[in-house]
Amino acid sequence: MTTIRCILAVSSKRGWNVSQLDQASRQWYAWLAGALSFKGYSSSLNDYSLFFKKTGGLISILAVYVDDILLTGDDIQEIQSIKEFLNSEFKLNDLGDIHYFLGLEILRESNGFIVSQRQFTLDMLNEFDVSHLPRATSPLDPYCKLQSDDGPLMDNPTLYRHLVGKLNYLTNTCPDLSFVVLTLSQYMQRPCRTHFFAALRVLKYLSADPGQGILLSSTPDFFLLAFCDVDWASCKDTRRSKQVSISLSSAEAEYRSMMGVTAELTWLVRLFDDLSTPITLLIPLHSDSKAAIHIARNPVFHERTKHVELDCHFVHQQFLSGLITLSFVPSKDQLVDLFTKPLFGVSHKGILSKLGVATLPSNLRGGVRNSKPQLTLDINGGMRSERGRRGNEKEDRPN
């Protein structure tokens, strides 16, 4: 597929400002959706920010975020036509081929696109200076078992919330931070110093490779491969395995995680159909729990499933309908361990290399520059603000 990508900054040509209206986002969406509908575009029922138009075997796609639009497709004539139409209806700024979108940096390589948040990461490392601390090989210490009221409370809890909020945004391109961010987010109300030191470890991990991102491969072969797993009752405070309800057995917890993955696969199949990229069925779903696989294939097989809610058997329904196929995978080959538990550096890197994670080319890498006020640890474990030392302002650290 020949792809043209443009970012369109759109604002109102009318005599009023959309942002000043009550329910501005709703009004703006209705206005833009109406204009696109007039040109024959359909709104995806699987993602209302996605619009598409199919003409024969060609397609043009618009992804909308407020007044920023990402435009792509293989219908070159239609892409040019819709840009001219939007320019006649709104004040349009065509920024050309995509390089930067909503804080995401997109680099086009011969084998696809690398999506990263390198500059965002560097700015965060500048703000929370951890250059005097040793680097970490994984985001969370495997021996660290965090829980509520784990030591002295922070004097400034806003600082912790600020840092975790930034890390949460970074999970868009750093999937290996998902578990640690989920863990740290549980202590936003009453963060302790122990929680803050765990968050600083994430920064030490990021400083080793701030240009890490996701590779969107341009290979024509496309298929889905799913893994599911759960760390049963690992949370010391709730014993809920990061799930809403308490599971009475590891099999139930694994079955619930399988249900969540199956629901996501069901949605993805419909979404990719909108994008004219049909998914080849059956989708392999790998689990390291033989008990959960048996339950999914035959929900009456175990007496232990009497207490499991009926909605969990959605997995069995999708298995019978031909959406998924269930396969056992040994725990040592379970890729989703990266999202369910803290790992040692070797295991962490081994799994990360199989998840489509890439690093920006060396000529685009940069170090942390200490050129503005930073937050650093004092010897008592508190926080203090200091100016970056002039001698270190242009220091480049290896990546």
Side-chain angles (χ1 to χ4, degrees):
M1 175 184 292
T2 302
T3 303
I4 296 177
R5 296 178 182 268
C6 307
I7 304 175
L8 312 174
V10 184
S11 61
S12 171
K13 278 186 174 180
R14 304 286 179 87
W16 37 264
N17 189 338
V18 175
S19 62
Q20 295 175 347
L21 292 173
D22 292 336
Q23 301 183 357
S25 59
R26 182 188 298 272
Q27 295 293 332
W28 167 245
Y29 177 85
W31 186 15
L32 180 61
L36 292 174
S37 177
F38 176 77
K39 290 293 291 182
Y41 281 78
S42 301
S43 174
S44 171
L45 298 179
N46 302 294
D47 188 335
Y48 287 100
S49 65
L50 184 68
F51 296 84
F52 60 89
K53 180 179 180 180
K54 300 178 182 179
T55 306
L58 303 178
I59 186 173
S60 53
I61 303 168
L62 289 93
V64 180
Y65 184 83
V66 191
D67 59 352
D68 291 319
I69 301 176
L70 188 63
L71 175 61
T72 186
D74 56 0
D75 192 340
I76 309 301
Q77 183 177 354
E78 174 57 31
I79 289 176
Q80 184 61 36
S81 174
I82 191 62
K83 287 198 292 185
E84 293 174 356
F85 172 76
L86 290 175
N87 194 40
S88 66
E89 291 292 314
F90 313 100
K91 183 180 179 181
L92 181 147
N93 184 17
D94 187 348
L95 303 180
D97 291 343
I98 186 170
H99 299 290
Y100 191 84
F101 187 67
L102 302 179
L104 306 178
E105 300 172 58
I106 296 92
L107 177 67
R108 188 164 192 166
E109 291 287 291
S110 58
N111 56 340
F113 292 87
I114 298 178
V115 184
S116 75
Q117 292 170 279
R118 173 182 168 274
Q119 189 57 53
F120 180 84
T121 303
L122 292 176
D123 291 342
M124 183 169 55
L125 292 175
N126 275 325
E127 182 178 358
F128 297 87
D129 181 25
V130 293
S131 59
H132 60 292
L133 301 176
R135 289 178 175 174
T137 57
S138 61
L140 188 62
D141 185 354
Y143 295 111
C144 180
K145 301 296 182 182
L146 298 177
Q147 60 186 93
S148 300
D149 301 324
D150 192 9
L153 296 176
M154 286 193 65
D155 296 332
N156 182 13
T158 302
L159 184 63
Y160 177 83
R161 296 162 188 157
H162 176 65
L163 174 55
V164 175
K166 283 180 172 288
L167 293 175
N168 183 48
Y169 181 62
L170 198 56
T171 58
N172 289 311
T173 56
C174 296
D176 51 327
L177 300 186
S178 298
F179 176 75
V180 64
V181 170
L182 176 64
T183 301
L184 296 174
S185 297
Q186 299 177 75
Y187 311 109
M188 299 286 263
Q189 185 174 1
R190 288 170 54 85
C192 302
R193 287 186 176 181
T194 305
H195 305 143
F196 184 69
F197 293 148
L200 288 179
R201 177 187 169 93
V202 184
L203 297 181
K204 293 187 291 181
Y205 168 74
L206 290 172
S207 65
D209 188 6
Q212 176 181 300
I214 297 176
L215 173 64
L216 302 181
S217 177
S218 59
T219 177
D221 298 329
F222 185 82
F223 61 93
L224 287 180
L225 183 64
F227 292 79
C228 66
D229 193 19
V230 68
D231 198 9
W232 181 47
S234 60
C235 179
K236 291 186 176 181
D237 296 317
T238 65
R239 298 299 182 184
R240 291 190 177 183
S241 308
K242 303 299 184 294
Q243 297 173 348
V244 176
S245 60
I246 298 176
S247 297
L248 300 183
S249 67
S250 60
E252 180 189 350
E254 296 277 4
Y255 192 38
R256 290 183 181 277
S257 71
M258 190 178 290
M259 180 196 67
V261 173
T262 303
E264 289 295 313
L265 290 175
T266 304
W267 171 74
L268 281 173
V269 168
R270 295 196 304 260
L271 180 64
F272 279 105
D273 184 64
D274 288 341
L275 300 176
S276 295
T277 309
I279 302 298
T280 302
L281 304 179
L282 305 160
I283 301 173
L285 176 54
H286 299 283
S287 172
D288 59 2
S289 172
K290 292 183 178 180
I293 292 176
H294 288 319
I295 294 171
R297 288 176 175 169
N298 181 11
V300 298
F301 184 78
H302 291 280
E303 290 293 325
R304 290 178 293 175
T305 63
K306 288 183 176 180
H307 63 282
V308 178
E309 287 87 347
L310 292 177
D311 60 346
C312 288
H313 298 307
F314 170 73
V315 180
H316 179 64
Q317 297 171 2
Q318 296 298 73
F319 171 73
L320 293 178
S321 69
L323 176 73
I324 60 174
T325 179
L326 300 169
S327 306
F328 175 76
V329 61
S331 296
K332 64 182 181 66
D333 298 323
Q334 180 58 277
L335 301 186
V336 81
D337 279 353
L338 190 76
F339 306 98
T340 59
K341 56 179 70 71
L343 301 174
F344 292 100
V346 175
S347 300
H348 183 88
K349 291 294 184 183
I351 294 178
L352 198 61
S353 64
K354 302 175 183 179
L355 294 178
V357 173
T359 301
L360 291 177
S362 58
N363 61 320
L364 294 179
R365 301 179 193 172
V368 180
R369 301 170 60 186
N370 300 328
S371 59
K372 62 180 182 180
Q374 301 158 342
L375 299 170
T376 57
L377 286 170
D378 63 25
I379 59 176
N380 296 317
M383 298 300 298
R384 59 187 173 87
S385 177
E386 64 175 16
R387 299 290 302 184
R389 293 184 296 276
R390 185 176 299 274
N392 290 335
E393 287 182 354
K394 295 184 179 179
E395 180 180 4
D396 285 335
R397 304 190 182 278
N399 294 313

